[in-house]
Amino acid sequence: MDSGEADDITQEAFLKAFENLERFRQEASLRTWLCRITTNVYLSKKRNQRKHESISLGEMKVPDRSCDPERTVIRRDFNAPLSQTAGVAQYSPGRCT
């Protein structure tokens, strides 16, 4: 967290405390109450950041489809006529058979 973010959280926490001063029950110290408000503001910001995080396409995991049953059948059907033709190599991009 940078100092600008810390300043924003502090400002928002004090604003919330001021807006809710009538709800302070004095069962705990004012410091404890302010710390709790500040903690809640921080956690709320972190939760909202996680909701809006994005990832680059390079970070995305693409499923391995080389052994996909549908592709295997298509490859087999494609290779069948080729295997009957002499001198033509079979098309085999993956290792599945």
Side-chain angles (χ1 to χ4, degrees):
M1 173 185 340
D2 62 15
S3 64
E5 188 178 7
D7 289 344
D8 290 345
I9 290 171
T10 302
Q11 182 177 3
E12 189 174 337
F14 274 96
L15 182 61
K16 285 184 179 286
F18 180 75
E19 290 172 342
N20 294 292
L21 199 52
E22 73 279 354
R23 295 177 67 195
F24 177 58
R25 297 182 303 230
Q26 298 180 352
E27 294 172 1
S29 71
L30 183 62
R31 178 181 177 185
T32 303
W33 187 61
L34 287 171
C35 285
R36 186 71 250 175
I37 292 171
T38 305
T39 300
N40 289 343
V41 168
Y42 171 78
L43 293 173
S44 176
K45 284 192 177 292
K46 287 300 172 189
R47 274 192 300 272
N48 287 336
Q49 283 177 354
R50 264 189 273 141
K51 287 180 186 175
H52 300 290
E53 281 183 358
S54 62
I55 60 172
S56 69
L57 291 176
E59 295 172 355
M60 290 181 66
K61 293 185 179 183
V62 179
D64 179 19
R65 300 206 43 177
S66 62
C67 290
D68 181 14
E70 182 180 7
R71 291 175 69 110
T72 302
V73 170
I74 291 170
R75 193 176 311 119
R76 185 190 65 213
D77 292 347
F78 180 77
N79 283 332
L82 292 178
S83 64
Q84 296 169 0
T85 306
V88 178
Q90 288 189 348
Y91 171 72
S92 182
R95 295 189 170 217
C96 286
T97 55

